[in-house]
Amino acid sequence: MHRLMSGKWTVMAALAAVFTIGAVAEQGIRTVWTKLGGAPVTVKMAESKLPSGGFASVIQKDLPAVVNISTSRVVKTAAEGPMADPMLRQFFGGRGFQAPRNHKESALGSGVVVSPEGYILTNNHVVEGAQQIIVTLPDKRDFQAKVIGADPKTDVALLKINASGLPVVAFADSSKVRVGDYAIAIGNPFGIGQTVTAGIVSATGRGGMGIEEYEDFIQTDAAINPGNSGGALVNSDGDLVGINTAIISPNSGGNNGIGFAIPSNMARNIMEELASNGKVTRGYMGVMLQPMTPAVAKAFGLNEMKGGLVAQVTPGGPAERAGLKNGDIIVQVNDTPIGDTNQLRLLVASLQPGSSTRLKLFRNGGTVDTTVTLEELPGSKAAANHEADGAKSALEGVALSDLSPEIVNELGLPARTKGVVVTNVDPDSAAADAGLQRGDVIQSVNRKPVANLDQAQQMFGSTSGGVLLSVSRGGQTMYIVVEQK
């Protein structure tokens, strides 16, 4: 009992000291009485270098504009049991066969309101394949959202909800972000509700991570966890510098202090193209690039490890017509010096097809100037088949893209392969039931050759009932019949 009372009075004395020191902080210097000998002690409190209340006053304008996004889709499970083989099922009359069953999958993410009219930026992976998207505002209002457009190559998506007068997060110029700047992440981690974490910018211009096709990440140690995807990364003024998109967490899947955000400048440019055209158009030069290394630079007689090494020039492409050769090193595009391959890819992709682009090349110990007229990146066009004239196509739920030399090389196909590549298949579609897979190259429809995406769309739009597809998969040709559901 004595010890309990002692502990109680000790706590009360400590609390009294805290309250007294609080008064000291208010007036700068005050005299405080202490139990240590009864002598007065003078305490001076330092003035805070941060805004009053930390970042509270900075982010107040942002909190109402960072939303929760919940998605759902119906997924068909595969047939189970030994009778899943259709030949065996037919022989045994279906006994022992467990039919496919549907189940609903849900996911959570975040988004940033960028327009009072209800436009919201988020990640493509947050909404990809979703059949229903619900946006919940911080004031608890729910809205069904539609996808205006999405760009899987940068993982950016633009949504629209039927609302007006919404608070927004203002864009900052992400090119001015410096390592060491404050970084504040706002989102909905693990679905627990709106959460704010703070840190610094750890690095800028991160690329070659293998996360997205086009990478120019801002790296931060502000805590980012699952569910933060699509949320805001803001600076110490509360302005948007990035869209949180990924973390490196090899063990637990949680925050390890290495998070990545898409720079606001890139996100804004993608957003504007999606809003205007529903897709992103990129410049195409027609070269395969190889990263520079000290050994490669030395072997080519280059004093600095900079530029992008042309490993292969695509036959008939813009670069070949401009006179580029294997072994050229592109050291400048227009007025921009090229530091590495990732910067070169980002820069060329950001230029408009048809634009005349000046190149400075390092070749045989000297420099060569040339001009290349860019084309549209093959595969920039992408389409998912939808209802035509009120009737569903047999290819409903299949996303397609034109073949590019890069895709042909990645799939290990012959260089002269023609057709369109399957980029996504809805698991609940007739095409998935028939066995069509992502990465398949459709070479003919109902025995008619397919040369490009536009031709394929016309063929699918003119068909009714089932379609016979000739498909190349891993270099092997097979036939797939897709029946209309």
Side-chain angles (χ1 to χ4, degrees), residues 369-388:
D369 294 321
T370 188
T371 300
V372 58
T373 301
L374 301 179
E375 295 180 357
E376 182 175 347
L377 177 69
S380 290
K381 299 176 182 178
N385 287 288
H386 297 289
E387 292 185 11

Side-chain angles (χ1 to χ4, degrees), residues 253-380:
N255 171 60
N256 276 356
I258 303 178
F260 300 101
I262 301 164
S264 58
N265 288 1
M266 177 186 282
R268 187 180 69 253
N269 292 337
I270 298 297
M271 174 189 74
E272 291 171 353
E273 285 212 53
L274 293 176
S276 300
N277 308 314
K279 68 182 182 72
V280 177
T281 302
R282 293 183 168 89
Y284 170 69
M285 189 184 298
V287 294
M288 297 286 287
L289 297 171
Q290 179 178 332
M292 270 293 182
T293 65
V296 169
K298 182 179 180 181
F300 277 86
L302 194 63
N303 294 327
E304 300 177 80
M305 196 178 72
K306 63 179 183 180
L309 174 61
V310 177
Q312 181 179 330
V313 178
T314 303
E320 183 183 61
R321 291 195 292 271
L324 271 73
K325 301 177 180 179
N326 294 355
D328 283 345
I329 299 172
I330 302 173
V331 294
Q332 185 171 310
V333 175
N334 292 328
D335 296 321
T336 304
I338 300 302
D340 57 32
T341 301
N342 188 58
Q343 181 197 4
L344 176 58
R345 292 182 69 251
L346 289 169
L347 181 56
V348 172
S350 70
L351 300 174
Q352 286 299 308
S355 61
S356 183
T357 304
R358 291 176 286 110
L359 303 179
K360 186 178 290 292
L361 311 174
F362 183 82
R363 178 190 293 171
N364 298 329
T367 58
V368 176
D369 294 321
T370 188
T371 300
V372 58
T373 301
L374 301 179
E375 295 180 357
E376 182 175 347
L377 177 69
S380 290

Side-chain angles (χ1 to χ4, degrees), residues 161-481:
I161 61 175
N162 187 21
S164 60
L166 298 178
V168 303
V169 180
F171 282 93
D173 182 355
S174 57
S175 69
K176 296 181 179 178
V177 172
R178 301 169 302 170
V179 174
D181 284 347
Y182 281 119
I184 307 166
I186 310 174
N188 181 41
F190 301 110
I192 61 174
Q194 193 174 68
T195 301
V196 178
T197 54
I200 64 169
V201 173
S202 306
T204 59
R206 284 286 194 228
M209 308 295 297
I211 300 172
E212 312 300 345
E213 189 166 338
Y214 291 97
E215 300 175 340
D216 189 27
F217 292 129
I218 296 172
Q219 182 182 326
T220 179
D221 66 349
I224 296 175
N225 288 289
N228 271 116
S229 289
L233 187 72
V234 302
N235 59 20
S236 57
D237 293 323
D239 298 327
L240 188 72
V241 296
I243 300 294
N244 299 321
T245 190
I247 58 175
I248 289 183
S249 185
N251 298 318
S252 65
N255 171 60
N256 276 356
I258 303 178
F260 300 101
I262 301 164
S264 58
N265 288 1
M266 177 186 282
R268 187 180 69 253
N269 292 337
I270 298 297
M271 174 189 74
E272 291 171 353
E273 285 212 53
L274 293 176
S276 300
N277 308 314
K279 68 182 182 72
V280 177
T281 302
R282 293 183 168 89
Y284 170 69
M285 189 184 298
V287 294
M288 297 286 287
L289 297 171
Q290 179 178 332
M292 270 293 182
T293 65
V296 169
K298 182 179 180 181
F300 277 86
L302 194 63
N303 294 327
E304 300 177 80
M305 196 178 72
K306 63 179 183 180
L309 174 61
V310 177
Q312 181 179 330
V313 178
T314 303
E320 183 183 61
R321 291 195 292 271
L324 271 73
K325 301 177 180 179
N326 294 355
D328 283 345
I329 299 172
I330 302 173
V331 294
Q332 185 171 310
V333 175
N334 292 328
D335 296 321
T336 304
I338 300 302
D340 57 32
T341 301
N342 188 58
Q343 181 197 4
L344 176 58
R345 292 182 69 251
L346 289 169
L347 181 56
V348 172
S350 70
L351 300 174
Q352 286 299 308
S355 61
S356 183
T357 304
R358 291 176 286 110
L359 303 179
K360 186 178 290 292
L361 311 174
F362 183 82
R363 178 190 293 171
N364 298 329
T367 58
V368 176
D369 294 321
T370 188
T371 300
V372 58
T373 301
L374 301 179
E375 295 180 357
E376 182 175 347
L377 177 69
S380 290
K381 299 176 182 178
N385 287 288
H386 297 289
E387 292 185 11
D389 300 326
K392 283 190 175 182
S393 162
L395 270 292
E396 178 78 16
V398 178
L400 303 169
S401 174
D402 279 322
L403 277 178
S404 68
E406 290 79 9
I407 293 175
V408 169
N409 184 64
E410 182 179 343
L411 295 176
L413 301 174
R416 299 187 181 276
T417 301
K418 302 293 183 183
V420 292
V421 63
V422 177
T423 60
N424 191 54
V425 181
D426 185 342
D428 195 37
S429 66
D433 291 345
L436 196 66
Q437 299 177 10
R438 184 175 183 269
D440 286 348
V441 176
I442 299 176
Q443 297 184 298
S444 73
V445 178
N446 291 337
R447 297 187 176 88
K448 295 180 180 179
V450 175
N452 53 50
L453 180 61
D454 290 337
Q455 187 181 37
Q457 287 180 296
Q458 292 175 4
M459 289 181 174
F460 295 144
S462 63
T463 60
S464 59
V467 293
L468 173 64
L469 306 178
S470 173
V471 171
S472 175
R473 179 184 298 167
Q476 302 295 317
T477 299
M478 65 180 68
Y479 288 95
I480 294 177
V481 178

Side-chain angles (χ1 to χ4, degrees), residues 59-216:
I59 64 169
Q60 287 307 306
K61 62 181 180 180
D62 299 327
L63 295 178
V66 180
V67 302
N68 174 44
I69 298 175
S70 58
T71 64
S72 62
R73 66 173 184 166
V74 176
V75 177
K76 179 176 289 186
T77 59
E80 297 178 355
M83 296 300 117
D85 186 308
M87 296 293 292
L88 289 175
R89 189 162 68 250
Q90 183 178 7
F91 184 79
F92 286 99
R95 294 187 300 274
F97 171 67
Q98 184 175 340
R101 289 184 293 181
N102 293 344
H103 71 276
K104 189 174 182 179
E105 286 186 352
S106 299
L108 294 172
S110 305
V112 183
V113 181
V114 292
S115 163
E117 290 76 29
Y119 286 93
I120 297 168
L121 270 178
T122 187
N123 287 142
N124 173 66
H125 77 259
V126 170
V127 297
E128 187 175 23
Q131 294 167 327
Q132 184 181 52
I133 304 171
I134 301 297
V135 169
T136 302
L137 305 183
D139 63 11
K140 306 305 181 185
R141 287 184 293 165
D142 288 341
F143 295 88
Q144 187 157 326
K146 65 177 181 179
V147 179
I148 299 299
D151 181 42
K153 294 180 185 294
T154 56
D155 200 20
V156 174
L158 180 64
L159 311 182
K160 176 73 168 64
I161 61 175
N162 187 21
S164 60
L166 298 178
V168 303
V169 180
F171 282 93
D173 182 355
S174 57
S175 69
K176 296 181 179 178
V177 172
R178 301 169 302 170
V179 174
D181 284 347
Y182 281 119
I184 307 166
I186 310 174
N188 181 41
F190 301 110
I192 61 174
Q194 193 174 68
T195 301
V196 178
T197 54
I200 64 169
V201 173
S202 306
T204 59
R206 284 286 194 228
M209 308 295 297
I211 300 172
E212 312 300 345
E213 189 166 338
Y214 291 97
E215 300 175 340
D216 189 27

